[in-house]
Amino acid sequence: MLFDKKKHHMDLKQADATLQNVFKACHIPPNTTSFDRLALRRRLNTRIYNRLLIITALLLLLTFILPLAVSPATPFFKRGGTSEVVLVSDTLSGDVLKLTLSGNGILYSEAYQETASGITEPPLSYNEKTGVISFSYYGTETNIYIPLENAPTFHLWLSPR
């Protein structure tokens, strides 16, 4: 119905006569609306129907494409915003744990540790140039959190042997 490929060839007067004969054979009162008007109405209804189908298809396509336009595209195409941090070394001297980190965007001043007993404290010292950060070591299970710029927090879990 969207694109009628069949071409029907019949004169409008002949089509009107055929329609009147069908009504007469079925014992239905004759048609009072001219066949020209019926054909024109069909063409107009078909045009509206075709346009509504095209508009519906465009709205459906827009429904699938719009979330891509609204959401930020950087997570899909660019991974440069995330910082990659690597724990280079760790040393324990007495009650001080020294961690050497490498990477960009490390926020040393906002780092902290939480022990199993509930103690939360900032680092004892840190040096951003060398990447060394020092924490008190209690010999118990400890979580160390080091925030990063534009990335999730770097989390270390220490467990005594």
Side-chain angles (χ1 to χ4, degrees):
M1 195 173 228
L2 183 60
F3 299 105
D4 192 14
K5 294 183 181 181
K6 293 181 182 178
K7 298 292 181 185
H8 303 286
H9 300 288
M10 184 181 278
D11 185 18
L12 290 178
K13 289 182 182 178
Q14 184 183 359
D16 188 32
T18 304
L19 182 63
Q20 296 303 337
N21 289 337
V22 168
F23 284 151
K24 186 187 265 185
C26 294
H27 307 292
I28 297 176
N31 185 20
T32 57
T33 308
S34 69
F35 196 77
D36 294 338
R37 185 170 278 174
L38 291 174
L40 179 63
R41 214 181 277 163
R42 182 192 177 277
R43 273 190 240 124
L44 290 176
N45 288 343
T46 303
R47 284 184 195 158
I48 292 171
Y49 178 74
N50 288 344
R51 288 181 183 155
L52 287 176
L53 278 178
I54 290 170
I55 289 171
T56 303
L58 289 174
L59 286 175
L60 183 63
L61 181 66
L62 185 65
T63 301
F64 289 116
I65 292 176
L66 191 62
L68 296 176
V70 173
S71 67
T74 53
F76 296 114
F77 301 114
K78 184 179 174 187
R79 297 274 183 193
T82 60
S83 301
E84 187 171 318
V85 176
V86 176
L87 178 63
V88 177
S89 67
D90 59 287
T91 57
L92 182 62
S93 56
D95 291 339
V96 177
L97 174 67
K98 290 186 180 184
L99 303 173
T100 305
L101 305 170
S102 71
N104 295 326
I106 302 171
L107 303 173
Y108 293 96
S109 61
E110 297 178 20
Y112 63 95
Q113 74 174 349
E114 289 181 354
T115 63
S117 59
I119 299 171
T120 301
E121 62 183 19
L124 297 173
S125 65
Y126 58 88
N127 186 343
E128 294 181 11
K129 292 180 182 177
T130 60
V132 176
I133 188 165
S134 303
F135 290 97
S136 299
Y137 183 70
Y138 297 104
T140 62
E141 187 175 290
T142 305
N143 288 299
I144 297 176
Y145 299 98
I146 304 170
L148 307 173
E149 290 179 2
N150 302 323
T153 301
F154 187 67
H155 177 217
L156 294 171
W157 176 56
L158 304 174
S159 179
R161 291 183 186 180

